[in-house]
Amino acid sequence: MAALQVSAAPRIQVRGLGKVFDGETRVVALDAVDLDVADNEFVTLVGASGCGKSTLLRIIGGLEYHTSGEIVAAGRPVRGPGADRAMVFQHYSLYPWLNVVENIRFSRQLAINREHLTSSDVEVAMGRADALLDLMGLRSMARAYPTQLSGGMQQRVAIARALMGRPEILLMDEPFGALDAQTREVMHDLIRHVFKLERATIVFVTHDVEEAIYLGQRVVLMAPRPGRIDTIYDVPLPAQRHQDMKLDRAFLDLKKAVVERIRETSGMKTDFELLDKLSRAASST
Amino acid sequence: MTTSASARPGLWSIRGPISRNTFWTLAAIGLLTPVLLWWGIALSGWVEKVFMPSPAAVWDRTLIWFDEDNLVGDAIISTYRVSAGWAMSAAIALPIGLLIGTFRPVQALLEPLTDFVRYMPAVAFIPLVMLWIGIDEGSKIAIIFIGTFFQMVLMVAEDVRRVPTPQIEAAQTMGATRAEVIRLVLLPSAKPALLDTLRITLGWAWTYLVVAELVAANSGLGYAILKAQRFLQTDKIFAGIILIGAIGLVSDQLFRFLHRKAFPWLHFK
């Protein structure tokens, strides 16, 4: 049956993408990047700092411009930001003058949602905000202001706000990077749940390998100088994930492989000789 | 002395805690000490009355000023001049500062110019202002405007620039247009800082009052101070200065009150 074909055109197509900063020193942030992200796929980007994972994400989001190659997202060439590609940031993105539910409804204030608006649309939108409050466990916080929330709660609001306009693609730039380990685990299961319910396509940038494997269907490992895609790993986990899987053989093997590869590509390693010399110098004084 | 089990940080620990009582006791000491010193010196007779009148003399002079010399009228006309100069400055500085803080070409066009002009002393503009505007109310307001405007533009621009980039980018990835980003993100986000800028610049506007009333004034607190100088009425100079300070303090507190009312999310404990 044709309707069951999985091989629809990818949601995101990146072809020969390059970005060069021409400053006092020429920096190649991205070099010849090719990447396809399928509809309703969860892809995570990892890599050593300077590998261009955030830059790639921001280019997909239209917040930065590439200097060569092409990129098509949600069926259109990327020319700046748009409501089809919502972004969740690490922090400082909530509007402190709006309470939780007002933040979530922010996109309803935009003209993009006012054109040809009918009263039933408004009703649907109000119901959507309510559903998102429940989905993200924010019901009791609906009238609170962002400054009154913990970091984890703030990120729940940011995710709900990004989902409000039903974006085809959800871009997440280290959204849990500032959270403590326990909150992070809760957020991981939450975002997997959201992924399943909303059927969005998610591209997720992180420096945490465990997070990348636990969340993604594929882990894209990027390498620095110049920023490029090094290896793409398929994650051998079922769609329904739970925390115990982090101790599975297959999970740990993949984690080891990814961590080692990042170490190799980063060009940084612990200099035992130097450490030895330093401690000898310190003890002789 | 033994070390107690609860190691409560002392009064002099860096950014240490302070109890309410201690705070207000120290504040009272800070406020009253200069007054008492002043009183003491005046009473002791070390300094001649012409140089330093006693607080009582200043108080008496203030009452005379109030009864016979239209103190209220002076205060009102001065408040009017300061408010008018400051409000005109705000009316122009807010949109221009918003544009400088939002669009880089506008910044390139106007910021270096503003930076240059703001170092020019407002006082030195008096002859020009008299020549161009004349010697009536307009010129006094113009001096206060010149003293306030250029600083205000730069501060407004900085307030707008301080809006966190993720707030702007989040709106853009929700489909906000340029006008919507300005109206729904930049302005509401910068508002608390803008109100602070208005409060601070109103204080500066008051400092230009005496200068402004150098220009052919025949009323106002600044004018009264200048006239008192001519007649060596030191007590009236003191009274005028303290009055200006008091009006400034009241308006400052009004702004702070407004800040707490308008931006409750910034004042949660």
Side-chain angles (χ1 to χ4, degrees):
Chain A
M1 247 165 58
L4 283 179
Q5 272 187 343
V6 205
S7 60
R11 282 285 90 180
I12 304 170
Q13 271 179 296
V14 179
R15 289 287 173 277
L17 192 81
K19 181 168 181 71
V20 177
F21 291 103
D22 266 318
E24 285 180 18
T25 52
R26 196 180 128 94
V27 179
V28 182
L30 288 173
D31 184 45
V33 171
D34 290 313
L35 182 68
D36 278 352
V37 180
D39 191 21
N40 194 28
E41 191 184 13
F42 199 138
V43 168
T44 51
L45 308 180
V46 282
S49 60
C51 69
K53 53 189 191 291
S54 268
T55 307
L56 177 58
L57 190 83
R58 290 173 57 78
I59 290 175
I60 297 171
L63 297 172
E64 278 183 44
Y65 296 93
H66 50 287
T67 47
S68 61
E70 47 189 305
I71 173 166
V72 176
R76 285 177 296 275
V78 171
R79 302 255 182 282
D84 50 356
R85 287 154 288 135
M87 177 103 84
V88 178
F89 300 83
Q90 188 170 357
H91 40 209
Y92 306 128
S93 79
L94 290 183
Y95 302 129
W97 61 94
L98 301 176
N99 67 28
V100 165
V101 70
E102 288 165 344
N103 261 286
I104 293 174
R105 284 186 192 143
F106 179 83
S107 66
R108 305 302 306 172
Q109 288 184 266
L110 305 175
I112 199 164
N113 290 309
R114 284 199 301 267
E115 290 158 10
H116 323 294
L117 200 67
T118 64
S119 58
S120 74
D121 290 340
V122 176
E123 240 165 70
V124 169
M126 291 305 148
R128 171 107 176 122
D130 271 352
L132 286 169
L133 278 176
D134 287 334
L135 175 64
M136 303 308 285
L138 291 165
R139 172 62 62 195
S140 60
M141 301 283 181
R143 307 282 158 206
Y145 284 91
T147 47
Q148 297 172 298
L149 303 179
S150 66
M153 283 295 173
Q154 291 186 11
Q155 286 312 75
R156 287 171 192 235
V157 181
I159 294 167
R161 186 181 62 177
L163 291 170
M164 181 72 194
R166 296 188 189 278
E168 292 179 56
I169 298 165
L170 187 60
L171 305 170
M172 308 186 83
D173 195 358
E174 302 202 27
F176 310 140
L179 305 181
D180 62 85
Q182 286 71 40
T183 310
R184 214 185 252 241
E185 279 191 358
V186 175
M187 296 302 284
H188 288 162
D189 290 326
L190 187 61
I191 197 71
R192 282 296 306 183
H193 185 62
V194 165
F195 170 65
K196 205 171 68 184
L197 282 184
E198 295 279 324
R199 304 193 62 79
T201 304
I202 301 184
V203 183
F204 188 107
V205 166
T206 176
H207 57 258
D208 178 345
V209 173
E210 191 173 277
E211 178 170 88
I213 297 171
Y214 188 69
L215 293 179
Q217 285 159 295
R218 284 192 298 157
V219 174
V220 176
L221 195 162
M222 297 181 67
R225 286 173 297 275
R228 63 193 187 276
I229 290 181
D230 182 81
T231 320
I232 298 181
Y233 301 88
D234 284 314
V235 177
L237 296 177
Q240 185 61 51
R241 312 228 164 145
H242 42 86
Q243 296 294 334
D244 294 344
M245 290 178 183
K246 288 181 180 171
L247 300 172
D248 284 355
R249 182 86 256 160
F251 190 101
L252 292 172
D253 284 346
L254 181 55
K255 185 177 167 186
K256 189 166 187 291
V258 175
V259 167
E260 277 173 0
R261 186 60 198 150
I262 291 176
R263 215 172 274 152
E264 282 165 21
T265 58
S266 73
M268 278 189 265
K269 52 181 194 294
T270 316
D271 192 339
F272 289 107
E273 222 171 87
L274 177 70
L275 290 180
D276 214 35
K277 217 162 75 185
L278 287 174
S279 46
R280 255 180 291 140
S283 61
S284 68
T285 52
Chain B
M1 217 176 94
T2 54
T3 18
S4 76
S6 69
R8 204 182 136 172
L11 211 50
W12 296 103
S13 65
I14 291 170
R15 291 186 182 172
I18 188 167
S19 75
R20 259 189 112 69
N21 284 340
T22 319
F23 182 91
W24 286 111
T25 311
L26 290 173
I29 292 172
L31 286 168
L32 289 176
T33 307
V35 177
L36 290 175
L37 270 177
W38 172 24
W39 208 313
I41 292 171
L43 279 181
S44 70
W46 294 336
V47 187
E48 269 200 68
K49 257 198 195 137
V50 180
F51 296 116
M52 189 169 288
S54 70
V58 171
W59 177 246
D60 288 343
R61 171 62 73 176
T62 310
L63 290 182
I64 294 170
W65 190 357
F66 181 81
D67 287 336
E68 296 164 15
D69 249 353
N70 197 10
L71 181 150
V72 175
D74 282 335
I76 287 174
I77 189 73
S78 288
T79 306
Y80 162 71
R81 285 166 185 156
V82 168
S83 312
W86 167 84
M88 275 172 61
S89 167
I92 307 173
L94 285 171
I96 290 184
L98 175 66
L99 290 175
I100 292 178
T102 307
F103 299 110
R104 301 306 287 273
V106 183
Q107 183 187 3
L109 199 65
L110 295 180
E111 204 171 42
L113 175 71
T114 313
D115 246 329
F116 172 56
V117 179
R118 83 180 165 119
Y119 281 108
M120 300 178 181
V123 189
F125 279 91
I126 290 180
L128 280 178
V129 167
M130 287 167 76
L131 194 64
W132 290 338
I133 304 180
I135 54 167
D136 50 8
E137 274 319 297
S139 58
K140 287 142 203 134
I141 294 170
I143 294 291
I144 288 167
F145 176 87
I146 291 169
T148 320
F149 174 73
F150 298 97
Q151 312 275 353
M152 202 193 262
V153 168
L154 297 175
M155 288 173 74
V156 169
E158 189 56 29
D159 292 340
V160 175
R161 268 197 293 267
R162 288 234 178 102
V163 173
T165 307
Q167 287 185 5
I168 300 166
E169 292 182 337
Q172 288 173 328
T173 66
M174 285 185 270
T177 62
R178 230 173 356 184
E180 285 172 333
V181 169
I182 293 174
R183 191 167 53 84
L184 298 173
V185 180
L186 285 179
L187 271 178
S189 189
K191 245 188 225 167
L194 290 175
L195 189 65
D196 271 332
T197 291
L198 290 178
R199 175 174 64 82
I200 293 164
T201 49
L202 180 59
W204 292 348
W206 273 101
T207 64
Y208 284 100
L209 177 70
V210 177
V211 172
E213 290 181 353
L214 273 173
V215 186
N218 49 23
S219 60
L221 296 174
Y223 164 75
I225 292 172
L226 292 166
K227 201 174 76 177
Q229 177 205 5
R230 233 171 286 150
F231 296 103
L232 267 183
Q233 294 174 317
T234 325
D235 44 6
K236 193 163 183 182
I237 297 179
F238 268 68
I241 292 174
I242 292 172
L243 270 170
I244 291 177
I247 295 173
L249 187 66
V250 168
S251 73
D252 203 85
Q253 291 302 316
L254 275 175
F255 266 103
R256 286 176 193 274
F257 175 76
L258 197 63
H259 203 278
R260 280 195 298 275
K261 286 287 148 202
F263 313 117
W265 65 89
L266 289 172
H267 300 277
F268 291 134
K269 275 280 149 75

